[in-house]
Amino acid sequence: MAKFDEAVGPLDRYMQVLELVATFPGVLTLADVSSLLDLPKTSAHRLLKGLVRAGLAKDSVGGRAYQLGDRLLRLLHATADDGWIAALARAHLQELTDATSETCYLTRLIGARVVVAISISPDVRWRSYVQPGIEMPVHAAATAKAIIAYQSKAVLAEATSGDLPLLTANTRNDRKWIEQELATVRSRGHATCIGEIDEGLAAIAVPIFLSDRRVFYALGMTGPLQRIMNEQLPDRLTALRNVADVLGKSLSIGEKLKSKDVAAK
Amino acid sequence: MAKFDEAVGPLDRYMQVLELVATFPGVLTLADVSSLLDLPKTSAHRLLKGLVRAGLAKDSVGGRAYQLGDRLLRLLHATADDGWIAALARAHLQELTDATSETCYLTRLIGARVVVAISISPDVRWRSYVQPGIEMPVHAAATAKAIIAYQSKAVLAEATSGDLPLLTANTRNDRKWIEQELATVRSRGHATCIGEIDEGLAAIAVPIFLSDRRVFYALGMTGPLQRIMNEQLPDRLTALRNVADVLGKSLSIGEKLKSKDVAAK
DNA sequence: GACTTTCGTTCCGTTTTCCGGAACATTATT
DNA sequence: AATAATGTTCCGGAAAACGGAACGAAAGTC
């Protein structure tokens, strides 16, 4: 069994201190940390101040106690709320929803799963809800297809490794069909879901390309089958494509990098 | 303006990488991190693996992408849910509530504020709610008095530095009175709140002493004034005291340390 | 299926930082 | 006022982090 204060990596000692601070926020003194972790107080002091400098902890009660810092909390919110991405996309999604009276949403790739980041529902009676945070079935959802179609083989393999349930009579889960469906997505530039999740519901989706042509996000629109799969379809796809292009430019990691570089000079 | 990749502390580079991982969970490759942070790929590699070893990040899609690790999520939940403390105390609080049919709750000191950690309400019509997470007024709440009475002057000063609103006709906020009230708490071992927050509500509370006599937590019971301030009071205080002693032993940092030491040998 | 490119990993000498004992400064306690 | 405890700075020896170069392992290409 590993000794408690044996660090398993360069960060481990910091993390042990931070865990202590998290467990007893705002009440632990330097001496406590020192004795609990069996560290020389000099080292405990250095570690604590290191955490404070990095924004992971902060002084409390005039430097005689420590609590979790803002940076750590920001880190949590970054994943939970999708941070700046949500802020960027929300206005665009609202516009799309207002123009079409259908539910529009943004999904993102996390690992090999596709989850809903933001969703805006129209203010009409007959609408479908898309719950932020839920995972989209890779073999059925339009937004999932739109993203997975542009991923590496490794991601595709992992995404289709589990059970792929047949949700309706229209759902297909044979790997051969999926590959072909994804090829179709790539060739025509958008994905569809025609009653593959719910009998009467359809969805269309387009991938959002970053500047290096990679795809982490997709934009989707869903509603009753006959309201989606009709003569308005081409116009709506164009609208989605336009928004996706705008978002692609903003979301692009390349752009983000560039702004950082400019700021650095 | 500070250059982006200029580390302000030993942890800063790690944090920058971690923030990137948090923003694009499960999709960033080593090469991305390297180019975005303008690091040699060797360094990016070392930093990422360091994060993984420390449990702050973890491999995704077979080591070709990274996402937030379990340790970080545990850390963030530790403060939000009160972790093991909540698990420990909940059963005891339930017993107290069942026996008395009053709302019982555990509060904790965070910095110089006292907040509700867990609260159990009885299953009767006429009950008072205590919302977990809310802050207790230091000059009025029984649990707050029970904790603040045993803090250092620095904490007391910070706790009473802001506005202390007069919530009812019974509330007092002159510093002189507060000091005297806290002295009373210390001498008789429990705190009361007699209509100082809501006209008809009273509360009693006892501090939970850790093995080194410090106080971070308090146990409280609240209900309509006439149901609290009657001949049952002594028995209920005894019941609270007993539970507080049990929890004190379990919560004690000393105990926690000891168990770690045992595990280490 | 062989080739090319890209990505992730290991190696290792140099450099930088960390480590923690001792002394110092600063606040509570008697 | 004296004493004890806590937080902070100093600094030489020790131990890492650092990153260029070279090496394996995939993905994409023909």
Side-chain angles (χ1 to χ4, degrees):
Chain A
M1 178 171 291
K3 198 159 164 262
F4 180 62
D5 54 349
E6 253 170 23
V8 300
L11 283 172
D12 206 59
R13 314 185 103 209
Y14 282 105
M15 288 308 299
Q16 289 184 22
V17 175
L18 197 56
E19 273 167 10
L20 222 49
V21 171
T23 314
F24 301 95
V27 292
L28 283 182
T29 64
L30 185 146
D32 291 325
V33 175
S34 165
S35 79
L36 283 170
L37 293 179
D38 212 7
L39 286 169
K41 66 179 172 181
T42 308
S43 301
H45 179 253
R46 191 167 30 71
L47 292 170
L48 278 167
K49 289 301 174 192
L51 288 172
V52 171
R53 278 216 303 169
L56 297 179
K58 68 178 175 189
D59 288 328
S60 174
V61 196
R64 327 200 124 270
Y66 297 90
Q67 59 189 55
L68 293 189
D70 300 333
R71 191 172 193 176
L72 202 60
L73 302 177
R74 257 190 290 119
L75 201 64
L76 171 68
H77 291 304
T79 27
D81 319 338
D82 288 281
W84 58 277
I85 295 166
L88 263 174
R90 181 158 278 122
H92 291 288
L93 284 173
Q94 187 70 56
E95 267 178 45
L96 271 177
T97 300
D98 289 347
T100 60
S101 290
E102 301 294 352
T103 298
C104 295
Y105 50 104
L106 180 81
T107 61
R108 73 184 305 189
L109 180 68
I110 296 187
R113 302 176 304 121
V114 173
V115 303
V116 178
I118 324 165
S119 155
I120 307 269
S121 289
D123 196 20
V124 299
R125 185 99 51 85
W126 192 266
R127 62 188 176 186
S128 45
Y129 293 96
V130 177
Q131 178 79 22
I134 64 163
E135 184 175 344
M136 286 299 199
V138 164
H139 60 304
T143 44
K145 293 174 189 170
I147 291 178
I148 298 295
Y150 297 91
Q151 302 308 315
S152 67
K153 283 172 189 164
V155 173
L156 174 63
E158 190 164 324
T160 56
S161 63
D163 271 4
L164 301 176
L166 297 171
L167 301 161
T168 73
N170 300 317
T171 318
R172 302 279 302 266
N173 69 355
D174 42 305
R175 306 298 191 274
K176 194 79 196 164
W177 179 84
I178 291 174
E179 288 213 16
Q180 199 176 322
E181 176 80 355
L182 296 181
T184 309
V185 171
R186 279 190 292 271
S187 68
R188 73 183 175 197
H190 71 268
T192 59
C193 165
I194 307 174
E196 292 162 55
I197 296 178
D198 271 304
E199 287 287 352
L201 289 180
I204 51 176
V206 297
I208 297 178
F209 292 102
L210 302 188
S211 56
D212 56 2
R213 297 287 299 168
R214 279 191 297 178
V215 176
F216 295 161
Y217 304 89
L219 213 57
M221 179 185 298
T222 184
L225 216 154
Q226 53 273 45
R227 276 217 317 249
I228 298 288
M229 289 299 155
N230 57 21
E231 72 284 355
Q232 296 182 52
L233 185 57
D235 288 345
R236 289 180 163 184
L237 277 173
T238 309
L240 281 178
R241 180 75 271 150
N242 288 341
V243 175
D245 287 342
V246 173
L247 285 177
K249 284 210 178 64
S250 316
L251 292 174
S252 179
I253 302 184
E255 298 299 318
K256 203 171 168 233
L257 168 65
K258 213 178 291 175
S259 69
K260 294 284 182 189
D261 266 346
V262 173
K265 275 156 197 167
Chain B
M1 179 172 291
K3 197 158 166 260
F4 181 61
D5 55 349
E6 254 171 21
V8 300
L11 283 172
D12 207 59
R13 311 187 104 206
Y14 282 104
M15 288 309 299
Q16 289 184 22
V17 175
L18 197 57
E19 272 166 11
L20 221 51
V21 170
T23 314
F24 301 95
V27 291
L28 282 183
T29 65
L30 184 145
D32 291 325
V33 176
S34 166
S35 79
L36 283 170
L37 292 179
D38 212 7
L39 285 169
K41 66 180 169 179
T42 309
S43 301
H45 179 252
R46 193 168 24 73
L47 291 170
L48 279 167
K49 290 301 174 191
L51 289 172
V52 171
R53 278 216 302 166
L56 297 179
K58 68 178 176 189
D59 288 327
S60 176
V61 195
R64 322 201 128 270
Y66 297 89
Q67 57 189 54
L68 295 189
D70 301 332
R71 189 175 194 174
L72 191 66
L73 301 177
R74 255 190 292 119
L75 196 67
L76 294 166
H77 287 167
T79 25
D81 313 342
D82 288 281
W84 58 279
I85 295 165
L88 263 176
R90 183 157 278 124
H92 290 288
L93 284 172
Q94 188 68 59
E95 268 179 45
L96 272 176
T97 300
D98 290 347
T100 59
S101 290
E102 301 294 352
T103 298
C104 295
Y105 50 104
L106 180 80
T107 61
R108 73 183 305 185
L109 180 69
I110 297 187
R113 301 176 306 123
V114 174
V115 303
V116 178
I118 323 164
S119 154
I120 308 269
S121 289
D123 197 19
V124 298
R125 184 99 50 83
W126 190 266
R127 63 190 177 186
S128 45
Y129 292 96
V130 176
Q131 178 79 21
I134 64 163
E135 184 175 345
M136 286 299 199
V138 164
H139 59 305
T143 45
K145 292 175 189 168
I147 292 178
I148 298 296
Y150 296 90
Q151 302 308 317
S152 67
K153 284 170 189 165
V155 173
L156 174 63
E158 191 164 324
T160 56
S161 62
D163 271 1
L164 303 176
L166 297 171
L167 302 160
T168 73
N170 299 317
T171 318
R172 302 277 304 266
N173 70 354
D174 41 307
R175 305 300 190 274
K176 196 76 194 166
W177 179 85
I178 292 174
E179 290 214 13
Q180 199 176 321
E181 177 81 356
L182 296 181
T184 308
V185 171
R186 279 189 294 271
S187 68
R188 72 184 175 194
H190 71 266
T192 60
C193 164
I194 306 175
E196 292 162 55
I197 296 178
D198 272 305
E199 285 288 352
L201 289 179
I204 52 177
V206 297
I208 296 178
F209 291 103
L210 303 186
S211 58
D212 56 1
R213 301 288 299 172
R214 278 191 297 178
V215 175
F216 295 162
Y217 304 90
L219 213 55
M221 179 187 296
T222 184
L225 217 155
Q226 52 273 46
R227 277 218 315 253
I228 298 288
M229 289 298 155
N230 56 21
E231 71 284 354
Q232 296 182 54
L233 183 57
D235 287 346
R236 290 180 162 184
L237 277 174
T238 309
L240 281 177
R241 180 76 269 150
N242 288 341
V243 174
D245 288 342
V246 172
L247 285 177
K249 283 208 179 68
S250 315
L251 291 173
S252 178
I253 303 183
E255 298 300 318
K256 202 171 168 232
L257 168 64
K258 212 179 291 174
S259 69
K260 294 284 184 189
D261 266 344
V262 172
K265 277 158 196 169

